[in-house]
C-alpha cells in the first residue's frame, strides 16, 4: 500500500528567513509571506463553508472568481477579509463578546463580500446583505446609508447593465461609477496613491468596513473630505521620509500594506496604532501629530505584520507549562506582559530604533529629538531582551531571532549620542522601570510586616527578607508611566519662543495626562524643586507610585541622600509597601526620605 501524498507546505527561502530574523524583510520575503497568507485565507474560508451554509453568496463569489480571478484575489487578501473570517469562525465557536452584532449579521457579511466581488467583476446579480444601523458596507468599495431606524436588518444589492443599487424598504442608493466616486447616500473607500512613479504606495483609507478596527469590529464612521485630504497630505510626507531613509522597508511595504484605518487624534506624542495577525497588511492608526510620527507608526506596525506572517508559518515559542501566567516588564507598556506579547513588542521596537538611528542623521530641524528617541528606544529594547534571553520556551528559530536582535542592539548601544540627549534618555528609561516596579511588584507580606515591626522597634535596618524577589501583581491603576518621556519630548520639541521658562513645568505638566509637577521640574533639570514637589504629592496622596519613583530620580539627580536615592530608584516598591503598612499601623506616617534611607541600609 503506497503512502498518501503529502500536501504542499509554504516554506520561506533561507535568505528570507535570515532577513526576518534580523528584523528586516525585503519585497521577495513579503511576497513569500503573502503567498502563505493567501493559502491560510482559503483554508479559513473552506472551514467556514464546511461549518455553515454560505448559500447563494458562495455561488456568486465563485462566478466572480471565474470572471475576474485577480480582482477576487485582491478582495480575499484585503486585511478586513481576514479579520472578518476570524470573527466569523470565533462566532461559530461561541467565543464572541456580547457587544458584537447578531450571528446572522456576522455571517451575512460574506454576502457583502460576494456582492463586492461581483460588482468588481461586472456581473449582473441580486443578493441580500446585512444592514448595520442603517449602513451597508461593501468591502473595498464603500458604504451605502439607508433611511432605517432598525439596528440590524437586510437590504438587497442589485446590478444590471452597468447600474448598481442598494435597496431596502422602498429606498435605494445608487453605487456611483467608477468605484471610488462619492454620491448621494454613498461613501466610497478612498484610495490614496503617494510617491513618485515606480515607488508609489497605493493604499485604501478605510473608514467604513466594520472589520477595519482591531481586534473588535466597529460601525462605519466616514471621514469628512477635509479630514481625508489631511490624511493624504500626511501620508505623502511620511512616505517621502521612508523612501529616503528606509528604502528597503518602503519597497517591501509597497507590496504588503493594503489599508490604513484612520481614527481620531490623541494626546500629543501619544498616538495609538494597531495591527492584527488575522488582518495581514492592515494598519489602524490615530491621526498623527506630524508626518514623522506617521512614518514611525508605519514602521512599527509593519514590524508586527512581518512577525505575524512568520508566526503563521512557524512558532518562535513552545507552549507554556504554566498556562502563560508568567509576566514581564515591557518598557513600551503600562502593564506587565506575557512572553508572547513582549516578543511582539521587541520586534516592533527594534524597527522603531532602526528608524530613529537613520533619521537622526537626516533630520536637520529635529536632530535633538531624533537623538533622544534613538537613545531611548535602544535602551528600552535592550532591557526587554535581556530579561528573556535564553528563556527555555524559545524554539531554535526563536533563540536565533532574539540573539540576532540582541547583537544588533549591542552595536547600537555602542554608537555615540550627544551627552544631553543621552542623559535625558537614561533619565526616562530609568524612571519608567522604577514606576513600573512601584506599581506592579509586591514584596512578600510577611517581609513587609517584619519591616514595620523593625522600624517601630528602632532597628538599624530592615529585615533581610525584604530583599527577596517580589511578586508581579498587575496593578490596573498603572497608567501613563511614560509621562516623563512625554515631558522631555515637549521640552525638545518646543520652539525657541516656548523654551523652558519659570512657569514651563506647571504648563507642561498640565498638557501631559498623568504627569506630576515634579515630573516637569525633573524634565526641566530642576532636581531640587522636583524633590519638594514629589514630597508634597506624597503628603497628599502617599500611595502614588509615580511620586515614589520620581522622588528617587530627583534625589539621584541632586546627588543628595544617596542611600534613599538608590533604594527609590531601584526598589521603590519596598518603600511604597512599607510606608502603606506603617500608615495603617500608626497615626503618623513616616517621612518618605527617612524611611527610604532606612530601607536602603544594611539589613539588621
Amino acid at each position: 500500500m503506497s503512502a498518501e501524498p503529502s500536501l504542499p507546505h509554504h516554506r520561506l527561502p533561507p535568505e528570507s528567513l535570515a532577513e526576518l530574523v534580523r528584523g528586516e524583510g525585503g519585497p521577495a520575503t513579503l511576497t513569500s509571506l503573502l503567498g502563505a497568507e493567501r493559502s491560510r485565507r482559503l483554508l479559513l474560508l473552506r472551514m467556514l463553508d464546511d461549518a455553515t451554509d454560505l448559500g447563494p453568496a458562495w455561488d456568486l463569489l465563485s462566478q466572480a472568481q471565474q470572471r475576474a480571478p485577480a480582482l477576487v484575489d485582491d478582495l480575499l487578501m484585503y486585511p478586513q477579509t481576514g479579520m472578518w473570517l476570524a470573527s466569523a469562525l470565533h462566532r461559530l465557536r461561541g467565543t464572541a463578546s456580547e457587544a458584537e452584532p447578531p450571528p446572522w449579521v456576522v455571517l451575512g457579511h460574506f454576502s457583502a463580500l460576494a456582492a463586492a466581488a461581483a460588482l468588481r467583476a461586472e456581473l449582473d446579480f441580486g443578493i441580500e446583505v446585512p444592514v448595520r444601523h442603517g449602513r451597508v458596507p461593501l468591502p473595498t468599495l464603500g458604504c451605502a446609508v439607508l433611511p432605517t431606524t432598525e439596528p440590524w436588518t437586510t437590504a438587497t444589492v442589485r446590478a444590471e447593465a452597468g447600474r448598481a443599487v442598494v435597496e431596502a424598504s422602498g429606498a435605494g442608493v445608487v453605487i456611483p461609477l467608477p468605484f471610488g466616486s462619492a454620491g448621494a447616500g454613498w461613501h466610497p473607500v478612498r484610495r490614496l496613491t503617494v510617491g513618485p512613479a515606480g515607488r508609489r504606495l497605493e493604499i485604501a483609507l478605510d473608514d467604513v468596513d466594520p472589520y477595519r478596527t482591531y481586534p473588535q469590529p466597529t460601525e462605519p464612521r466616514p471621514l469628512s473630505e477635509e479630514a481625508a485630504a489631511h490624511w493624504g497630505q500626511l501620508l505623502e510626507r511620511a512616505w517621502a521620509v521612508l523612501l529616503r531613509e528606509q528604502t528597503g522597508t518602503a519597497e517591501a511595504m509597497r507590496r504588503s500594506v493594503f489599508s490604513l484605518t484612520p481614527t481620531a487624534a490623541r494626546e500629543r506624542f501619544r498616538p495609538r496604532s494597531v495591527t492584527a495577525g488575522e488582518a495581514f497588511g492592515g494598519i489602524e492608526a490615530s491621526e498623527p501629530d506630524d508626518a514623522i510620527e506617521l512614518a514611525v507608526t508605519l514602521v512599527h506596525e509593519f514590524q508586527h505584520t512581518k512577525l505575524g506572517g512568520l508566526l503563521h508559518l512557524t512558532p518562535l515559542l513552545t507552549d507554556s507549562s504554566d498556562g502563560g501566567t508568567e509576566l514581564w516588564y515591557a518598557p513600551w507598556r503600562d502593564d506587565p506582559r506575557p512572553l508572547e506579547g513582549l516578543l511582539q513588542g521587541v520586534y516592533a521596537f527594534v524597527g522603531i530604533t532602526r528608524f530613529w538611528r537613520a533619521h537622526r542623521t537626516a533630520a536637520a530641524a529635529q536632530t535633538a529629538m531624533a537623538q533622544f528617541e534613538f537613545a531611548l528606544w535602544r535602551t528600552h529594547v535592550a532591557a526587554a531582551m535581556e530579561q528573556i534571553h535564553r528563556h527555555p520556551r524559545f524554539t531554535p528559530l526563536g533563540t536565533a531571532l532574539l540573539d540576532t536582535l540582541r547583537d544588533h542592539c549591542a552595536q547600537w548601544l555602542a554608537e555615540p549620542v550627544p551627552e544631553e540627549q543621552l542623559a535625558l534618555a537614561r533619565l526616562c528609561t530609568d524612571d519608567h522601570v522604577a514606576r513600573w516596579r512601584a506599581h506592579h511588584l509586591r514584596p512578600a507580606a510577611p517581609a513587609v510586616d517584619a519591616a514595620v515591626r523593625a522600624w517601630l522597634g528602632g532597628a538599624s535596618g530592615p529585615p533581610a527578607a525584604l530583599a527577596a524577589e517580589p511578586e508581579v501583581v498587575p496593578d490596573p491603576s498603572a497608567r501613563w508611566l511614560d509621562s516623563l518621556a512625554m515631558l522631555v519630548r515637549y521640552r525638545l520639541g518646543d520652539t525657541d519662543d516656548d523654551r523652558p521658562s519659570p512657569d514651563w513645568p506647571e504648563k507642561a505638566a498640565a498638557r501631559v495626562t498623568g504627569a506630576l509637577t515634579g515630573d516637569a521640574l525633573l524634565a526641566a533639570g530642576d532636581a531640587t524643586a522636583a524633590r519638594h514637589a514629589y514630597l508634597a504629592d506624597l503628603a497628599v496622596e502617599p500611595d502614588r507610585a509615580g511620586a515614589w519613583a520620581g522622588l528617587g530620580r530627583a534625589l539621584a539627580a541632586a546627588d543628595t541622600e544617596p542611600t534613599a536615592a538608590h533604594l527609590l530608584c531601584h526598589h521603590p516598591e519596598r518603600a511604597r509597601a512599607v510606608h502603606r503598612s506603617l500608615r495603617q499601623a500608626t497615626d503618623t506616617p513616616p517621612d518618605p526620605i527617612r524611611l527610604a534611607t532606612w530601607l536602603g541600609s544594611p539589613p539588621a
Side-chain angles (χ1 to χ4, degrees):
M1 184 176 177
S2 61
E4 292 185 7
S6 60
L7 292 173
H9 289 78
H10 286 275
R11 291 185 175 87
L12 286 171
E15 58 274 17
S16 293
L17 198 56
E19 284 183 349
L20 293 170
V21 163
R22 295 195 301 269
E24 301 168 358
T29 296
L30 270 297
T31 298
S32 296
L33 291 179
L34 277 169
E37 287 297 317
R38 180 181 184 278
S39 295
R40 189 171 186 276
R41 296 272 174 92
L42 289 170
L43 285 171
L44 292 175
L45 192 57
R46 175 53 66 186
M47 288 171 60
L48 186 64
D49 186 46
D50 289 343
T52 187
D53 181 14
L54 297 178
W58 184 270
D59 296 335
L60 183 59
L61 185 67
S62 298
Q63 293 175 37
Q65 200 276 337
Q66 293 171 7
R67 170 76 70 87
L71 291 177
V72 174
D73 215 45
D74 287 345
L75 184 64
L76 177 69
M77 290 308 298
Y78 195 56
Q80 281 60 281
T81 302
M83 204 68 214
W84 164 75
L85 272 168
S87 297
L89 288 168
H90 288 161
R91 197 59 183 264
L92 287 174
R93 298 177 187 132
T95 56
S97 67
E98 294 182 0
E100 289 192 46
W104 68 265
V105 174
V106 176
L107 295 174
H109 187 73
F110 183 67
S111 297
L113 280 164
L119 287 168
R120 295 180 66 174
E122 300 180 352
L123 296 177
D124 290 345
F125 69 96
I127 192 169
E128 192 174 80
V129 298
V131 180
R132 313 167 67 105
H133 297 276
R135 300 181 187 273
V136 181
L138 298 178
T140 73
L141 297 180
C143 175
V145 181
L146 295 171
T148 178
T149 58
E150 294 185 53
W152 317 109
T153 184
T154 60
T156 300
V157 180
R158 300 186 190 281
E160 185 176 1
R163 184 179 184 273
V165 64
V166 182
E167 300 173 323
S169 302
V173 172
V174 174
I175 302 175
L177 293 175
F179 297 127
S181 305
W186 177 256
H187 297 283
V189 173
R190 298 175 179 89
R191 306 291 306 184
L192 300 180
T193 301
V194 296
R199 305 178 74 193
R200 287 179 180 147
L201 175 69
E202 296 183 8
I203 192 170
L205 186 68
D206 196 338
D207 52 359
V208 295
D209 194 301
Y211 297 94
R212 73 198 183 282
T213 52
Y214 318 130
Q216 296 298 325
T218 55
E219 297 311 310
R221 294 189 180 93
L223 292 174
S224 67
E225 289 301 323
E226 293 78 11
H230 181 59
W231 272 96
Q233 293 161 5
L234 287 169
L235 184 63
E236 182 81 54
R237 294 195 291 270
W239 187 244
V241 171
L242 294 177
L243 286 177
R244 284 196 310 268
E245 302 172 18
Q246 306 280 324
T247 305
T249 295
E251 191 60 32
M253 280 185 187
R254 289 183 60 226
R255 290 162 167 76
S256 50
V257 175
F258 307 123
S259 76
L260 176 61
T261 296
T263 59
R266 290 163 58 90
E267 187 175 310
R268 187 183 179 195
F269 299 125
R270 280 178 169 157
R272 176 186 180 272
S273 60
V274 190
T275 51
E278 302 295 349
F280 188 96
I283 295 173
E284 177 188 351
S286 60
E287 182 183 323
D289 299 335
D290 52 35
I292 299 301
E293 187 172 275
L294 181 55
V296 173
T297 294
L298 293 174
V299 169
H300 176 183
E301 298 305 338
F302 189 52
Q303 290 291 104
H304 284 304
T305 295
K306 291 184 293 185
L307 186 61
L310 177 61
L311 289 172
H312 281 165
L313 292 173
T314 182
L316 299 178
L317 297 168
T318 59
D319 291 336
S320 172
S321 60
D322 64 358
T325 59
E326 193 176 30
L327 297 173
W328 303 88
Y329 168 60
W332 36 83
R333 297 276 301 216
D334 292 332
D335 55 335
R337 299 291 288 161
L339 187 57
E340 292 83 353
L342 184 59
L343 181 59
Q344 282 279 353
V346 164
Y347 202 81
F349 281 91
V350 161
I352 286 179
T353 307
R354 185 178 285 120
F355 173 89
W356 287 113
R357 179 175 180 263
H359 189 65
R360 67 192 181 126
T361 61
Q366 291 293 333
T367 300
M369 182 78 83
Q371 296 282 8
F372 166 75
E373 298 288 1
F374 172 63
L376 180 81
W377 292 116
R378 68 179 182 178
T379 307
H380 274 331
V381 170
M385 288 193 286
E386 211 53 43
Q387 296 177 98
I388 57 176
H389 185 230
R390 302 302 180 196
H391 193 285
R393 283 188 58 202
F394 278 102
T395 65
L397 180 60
T399 297
L401 182 143
L402 194 68
D403 285 348
T404 301
L405 298 183
R406 283 180 75 244
D407 290 343
H408 280 302
C409 201
Q411 295 172 24
W412 295 340
L413 286 168
E415 294 183 11
V417 172
E419 185 55 41
E420 180 185 359
Q421 287 83 55
L422 184 62
L424 288 171
R426 286 172 178 162
L427 177 70
C428 293
T429 53
D430 292 345
D431 179 75
H432 191 278
V433 70
R435 289 171 192 252
W436 188 91
R437 291 184 67 95
H439 273 287
H440 300 298
L441 297 190
R442 296 289 183 273
V448 173
D449 292 341
V452 169
R453 290 193 298 271
W455 170 271
L456 295 176
S460 61
L466 196 63
E469 190 68 24
E471 182 184 4
V472 178
V473 180
D475 178 2
S477 73
R479 300 285 304 278
W480 308 299
L481 304 189
D482 59 356
S483 293
L484 186 59
M486 296 300 116
L487 290 160
V488 167
R489 291 183 177 106
Y490 269 101
R491 173 181 164 183
L492 295 176
D494 279 343
T495 63
D496 289 339
D497 292 339
D498 298 325
R499 290 202 180 278
S501 57
D503 60 349
W504 183 86
E506 184 178 342
K507 290 181 177 179
R511 290 191 286 184
V512 177
T513 304
L516 300 172
T517 301
D519 299 336
L521 290 163
L522 202 55
D526 192 341
T528 300
R531 165 189 166 155
H532 293 307
Y534 288 127
L535 287 172
D537 285 327
L538 289 172
V540 175
E541 193 175 347
D543 209 38
R544 188 151 193 171
W548 283 106
L551 178 60
R553 203 60 47 202
L555 294 177
D559 198 20
T560 60
E561 290 93 1
T563 303
H566 186 272
L567 185 284
L568 291 175
C569 286
H570 296 280
H571 303 287
E573 70 279 1
R574 296 180 194 171
R576 187 184 184 216
V578 174
H579 195 273
R580 181 191 299 125
S581 291
L582 282 168
R583 295 198 312 273
Q584 295 169 352
T586 67
D587 293 331
T588 306
D591 174 74
I593 296 177
R594 180 168 167 254
L595 176 63
T597 300
W598 181 78
L599 289 170
S601 302

